[in-house]
């Protein structure tokens, strides 16, 4: 298929326009379960292992690209689940992609345009297509996206703990490891008191909170937000339900602390609306939530034009998804530390031959062609739950 090139942004002008088309001939889906080193609790639930879907695409020339669907198992963060993603990939996204020819991943919008939603599922294939595209140009994914940072600053996201003592230990441990900022999950009943205690004990640590939409715009909850507003936080992430942009805008007018949106921003269009309403001063950009790197980059570009700082959020990705997040975070607008901690924070064994590591609050952006990481096939086999292949 062809799309007039003037409709595409970010085309690599150094390449001849006759660069040969890419055709994916096989899509393999692998359901992989990794145990978590430590269980993680948010305002909605606790988890001790993760089931993600790895996709491996093979193009007509034999180049292979990887992507990861990092959907949670349950529909508590967003509407998708592990099973909904598996089905959407197997029945819709993979069959329409296989056999289709394209020059640039931005053209996939048109290939998948009829399929609504299912963004976590879509992100896995989008990433694998970008991986192939970058390898075919012998460029790192970061550079193919337009980024040049060699390393990025990272922070950690700490879950809700059983006790304040356990939370303080976690904060101390990660501050000691050099992470650039600490994000604390909050929920009604676990907010003002624990955050105030952490702030008192760590007066100079950049601190932010994430509510995962657990609050509503009631007088009681707004009092909680006003109390948090006195604690010198970098931001308050997604306090209210995803679709309530006006409530976020009203809150932002009441607070000095920046409001950051996560769940609310599912496209460049929703980001545009949110910024137009004044619903946020910061946006968390997630590859998964936005359906892939193409849309994630659009949100980055929009925010850069609007003077809105962004950071790269995560969904506890395995190494494949983590590498994609790193490539994205190498774009110049990512001025705040991302949730891209080292693999070892989550997993005893990741699916990569050499796991992603953080040192002194920094992670190096892979520089080898494509995602720039090697998937450890034995590790995948060991942790495999199910697999299926869609071929031409
Ligand atoms: O809201 O940012 C979130 C993890 C799973 C689901 C939602 C969120 C998170 C995190 C952790 O905060 C991000 C990470 O370290 O990958
Ligand atoms: Mg969040």
């Amino acid at each position: 298929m062809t799309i007039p090139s003037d409709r595409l942004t970010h085309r690599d002008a150094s390449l001849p326009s006759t660069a040969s088309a890419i055709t994916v001939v096989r899509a393999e889906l692998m359901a992989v379960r990794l145990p978590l080193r430590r269980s993680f609790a948010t305002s909605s639930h606790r988890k001790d292992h993760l089931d993600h879907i790895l996709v491996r695409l093979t193009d007509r020339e034999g180049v292979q690209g990887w992507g990861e669907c990092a959907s949670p198992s349950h529909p508590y963060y967003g509407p998708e689940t592990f099973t909904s993603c598996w089905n959407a990939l197997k029945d819709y996204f993979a069959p329409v992609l296989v056999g289709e020819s394209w020059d640039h991943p931005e053209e996939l919008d048109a290939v998948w345009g009829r399929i609504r939603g299912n963004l976590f599922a879509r992100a896995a294939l989008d990433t694998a297509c970008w991986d192939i595209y970058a390898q075919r140009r012998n460029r790192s994914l970061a550079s193919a996206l337009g980024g040049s940072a060699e390393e990025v600053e990272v922070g950690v996201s700490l879950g809700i703990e059983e006790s304040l003592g356990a939370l303080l230990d976690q904060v101390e441990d990660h501050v000691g490891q050099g992470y650039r900022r600490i994000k604390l999950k909050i929920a009604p009943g676990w907010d003002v008191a624990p955050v105030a205690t952490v702030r008192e004990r760590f007066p100079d640590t950049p601190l932010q909170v994430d509510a995962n939409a657990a609050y509503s715009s009631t007088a009681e909850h707004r009092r909680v937000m006003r109390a948090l507003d006195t604690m010198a936080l970098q931001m308050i992430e997604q306090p209210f339900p995803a679709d309530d942009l006006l409530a976020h805008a009203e809150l932002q007018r009441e607070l000095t602390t920046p409001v950051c949106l996560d769940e609310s921003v599912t496209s460049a269009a929703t980001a545009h609306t949110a910024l137009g309403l004044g619903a946020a001063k910061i946006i968390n950009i997630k590859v998964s939530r936005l359906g892939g790197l193409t849309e994630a980059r659009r949100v980055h570009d929009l925010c850069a034009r609007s003077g809105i700082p962004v950071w790269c959020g995560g969904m506890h990705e395995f190494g494949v998804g983590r590498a994609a997040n790193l490539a994205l975070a190498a774009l110049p607008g990512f001025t705040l530390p991302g949730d891209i901690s080292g693999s070892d924070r989550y997993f005893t064994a990741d699916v990569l031959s050499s796991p992603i590591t953080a040192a002194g609050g920094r992670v190096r952006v892979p520089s080898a062609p494509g995602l720039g990481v090697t998937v450890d096939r034995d590790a995948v086999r060991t942790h495999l739950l199910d697999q299926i292949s869609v071929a031409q």
Side-chain angles (χ1 to χ4, degrees):
M1 67 171 312
T2 45
I3 290 184
S5 58
D6 60 359
R7 283 186 40 209
L8 300 172
T9 55
H10 295 290
R11 255 195 191 270
D12 189 339
S14 65
L15 287 166
S17 56
T18 52
S20 64
I22 296 167
T23 309
V24 171
V25 294
R26 186 167 73 247
E28 294 161 274
L29 311 182
M30 293 161 242
V32 176
R33 169 170 296 179
L34 291 186
L36 280 170
R37 207 186 260 280
R38 236 177 144 264
S39 68
F40 188 94
T42 66
S43 57
S44 66
H45 69 301
R46 171 173 292 281
K47 50 197 182 182
D48 59 15
H49 65 261
L50 299 173
D51 296 342
H52 288 180
I53 303 164
L54 296 181
V55 305
R56 181 169 68 166
L57 302 180
T58 307
D59 81 359
R60 211 184 281 296
E61 275 67 41
V63 176
Q64 296 194 319
W66 287 86
E68 175 175 338
C69 171
S71 172
S73 295
H74 308 290
Y76 305 150
Y77 169 83
E80 293 174 81
T81 67
F82 167 84
T83 310
S84 77
C85 289
W86 183 261
N87 290 338
L89 283 165
K90 168 173 76 67
D91 296 336
Y92 296 99
F93 288 111
V96 301
L97 175 68
V98 168
E100 198 66 59
S101 292
W102 45 277
D103 290 314
H104 189 280
E106 288 187 338
E107 295 165 27
L108 296 166
D109 277 352
V111 174
W112 290 326
R114 292 173 60 203
I115 308 170
R116 304 290 161 112
N118 295 287
L119 297 172
F120 276 71
R122 174 177 165 150
L125 286 186
D126 167 278
T127 300
C129 288
W130 271 99
D131 185 17
I132 291 180
Y133 170 80
Q135 288 179 63
R136 293 274 298 257
R137 272 147 190 78
N138 201 27
R139 293 172 73 172
S140 70
L141 179 56
S143 128
L145 286 164
S148 54
E150 288 172 10
E151 54 180 19
V152 299
E153 296 209 332
V154 298
V156 280
S157 168
L158 300 181
I160 291 170
E161 292 289 340
E162 305 282 355
S163 69
L164 200 43
L167 180 66
L168 289 168
D169 288 348
Q170 283 295 307
V171 176
E172 184 161 15
D173 181 18
H174 290 94
V175 169
Q177 290 178 46
Y179 281 107
R180 296 289 154 146
R181 56 92 174 131
I182 302 289
K183 165 169 130 180
L184 305 176
K185 292 285 181 180
I186 57 167
W190 180 268
D191 42 42
V192 177
V195 178
T197 308
V198 172
R199 174 43 86 217
E200 233 165 74
R201 191 74 69 84
F202 300 90
D204 304 321
T205 299
L207 203 62
Q208 60 196 61
V209 296
D210 184 2
N212 286 110
Y215 294 82
S216 47
S217 194
T218 59
E220 185 197 347
H221 285 175
R222 294 171 98 95
R223 263 198 304 280
V224 171
M225 297 303 145
R226 282 199 300 274
L228 292 170
D229 198 28
T230 65
M231 298 181 194
L233 302 174
Q234 307 295 111
M235 67 192 81
I236 300 176
E237 181 177 349
Q238 198 69 45
F240 300 145
D243 58 2
D244 207 345
L245 292 175
L246 281 179
H248 287 97
E250 279 168 33
L251 181 68
Q252 183 66 91
R253 283 195 289 275
E254 279 178 37
L255 303 186
T256 311
T257 310
V259 171
C260 168
L261 291 176
D262 174 356
E263 284 92 326
S264 290
V265 176
T266 53
S267 62
T270 51
H272 192 214
T273 306
L275 296 181
L277 291 170
K281 288 185 179 164
I282 297 175
I283 287 183
N284 165 342
I285 298 186
K286 282 185 185 169
V287 178
S288 299
R289 193 194 67 228
L290 288 159
L293 291 159
T294 298
E295 195 72 7
R297 185 171 66 171
R298 287 192 189 113
V299 177
H300 163 273
D301 294 354
L302 169 74
C303 290
R305 284 197 301 275
S306 318
I308 295 290
V310 302
W311 55 283
C312 183
M315 294 298 300
H316 295 155
E317 282 85 356
F318 301 172
V320 170
R322 214 160 273 275
N325 292 347
L326 273 172
L328 179 72
L331 290 172
F334 285 84
T335 53
L336 296 166
D339 275 346
I340 321 180
S341 21
S343 303
D344 62 331
R345 202 179 108 63
Y346 302 103
F347 315 110
T348 41
D350 199 344
V351 295
L352 302 182
S353 314
S354 26
I356 286 165
T357 53
R362 292 199 164 86
V363 180
R364 288 199 69 76
V365 178
S367 55
L371 280 169
V373 292
T374 308
V375 175
D376 177 348
R377 301 312 312 277
D378 288 337
V380 171
R381 216 169 294 123
T382 304
H383 298 287
L384 198 62
L385 299 173
D386 199 359
Q387 66 180 322
I388 192 170
S389 177
V390 179
Q392 219 175 2

